Amino acid sequence: MRTGWGSETADCRFDVPPRFGIAERRLAGLALDAWSAGGRSRITGFDDNSIFVTDPAGFAVVTAIGASIAATFGLAVGVLLSGGDGLAAELAAACDLIALRPLPVPFEASLAAPGRDCVLVRGVALPLFDAGHETGTVQIVMSWREVLNRAATRRLRHELGAALRSSTLILAKIDPFSANTSA
């Protein structure tokens, strides 16, 4: 088995803006509501944002993963969520808490992802039950937002400004980043 993705070197700690993450809370809340209404079993409709982990009390192994999660974080089926830091450590910690007490575990983290500076992750880990008994499987539903560093923000502003300047529209001649713009 491969070990979990982790051991990033970037420091992603910062204060989250007060209105950040409304959609993420909504996704986790929708997943929790669907889980509660569905008899605390596997929920559908969250496939692209779900990870399934077996044996949360010991060697937590990814058994299924949504395509967008795999592409963003480099996790794959068969990955062992162990040690280190990063997303694998956050997911393993949520699974460990479920092993102690089989209840939903909400989580939030800021971490580095492959090819990205900082990603804010929010989700909920849900223990799955079959006919009233815990199955040893956890469904994790999560969403994330990438936070741009100063260099990436500067590059994005430059690209957007150049695209607007090359436009033939008169309104596109206005600099959207100018302090004098009153739009």
Side-chain angles (χ1 to χ4, degrees), residues 99-149:
L100 294 173
R101 189 169 177 203
L103 296 173
V105 176
F107 62 92
E108 294 181 350
S110 59
L111 45 95
R116 293 168 170 81
D117 286 312
C118 187
V119 178
L120 301 177
V121 177
R122 180 173 286 134
V124 61
L126 305 165
L128 300 184
F129 295 85
D130 184 22
H133 301 290
E134 189 175 9
T135 64
T137 300
V138 174
Q139 181 175 2
I140 301 168
V141 178
M142 58 183 249
S143 58
W144 57 94
R145 295 287 183 255
E146 183 175 355
V147 179
L148 299 178
N149 64 16

Side-chain angles (χ1 to χ4, degrees), residues 11-161:
D11 183 11
C12 291
R13 291 172 288 172
F14 62 92
D15 293 328
V16 175
R19 297 278 305 156
F20 176 81
I22 292 171
E24 288 82 5
R25 286 192 184 112
R26 190 170 34 236
L27 182 69
L30 289 171
L32 181 58
D33 291 345
W35 176 82
S36 296
R40 303 180 336 170
S41 60
R42 179 183 174 141
I43 56 174
T44 59
F46 299 89
D47 297 337
D48 208 33
N49 291 71
S50 288
I51 299 173
F52 290 88
V53 179
T54 58
D55 192 16
F59 295 102
V61 178
V62 174
T63 57
I65 188 165
S68 63
I69 295 173
T72 302
F73 297 101
L75 289 175
V77 172
V79 168
L80 178 65
L81 303 177
S82 64
D85 56 0
L87 182 61
E90 293 293 332
L91 299 179
C95 289
D96 289 345
L97 288 173
I98 286 176
L100 294 173
R101 189 169 177 203
L103 296 173
V105 176
F107 62 92
E108 294 181 350
S110 59
L111 45 95
R116 293 168 170 81
D117 286 312
C118 187
V119 178
L120 301 177
V121 177
R122 180 173 286 134
V124 61
L126 305 165
L128 300 184
F129 295 85
D130 184 22
H133 301 290
E134 189 175 9
T135 64
T137 300
V138 174
Q139 181 175 2
I140 301 168
V141 178
M142 58 183 249
S143 58
W144 57 94
R145 295 287 183 255
E146 183 175 355
V147 179
L148 299 178
N149 64 16
R150 288 184 181 154
T153 301
R154 196 170 26 256
R155 188 173 56 251
L156 182 61
R157 284 183 175 190
H158 175 71
E159 290 173 10
L160 181 59

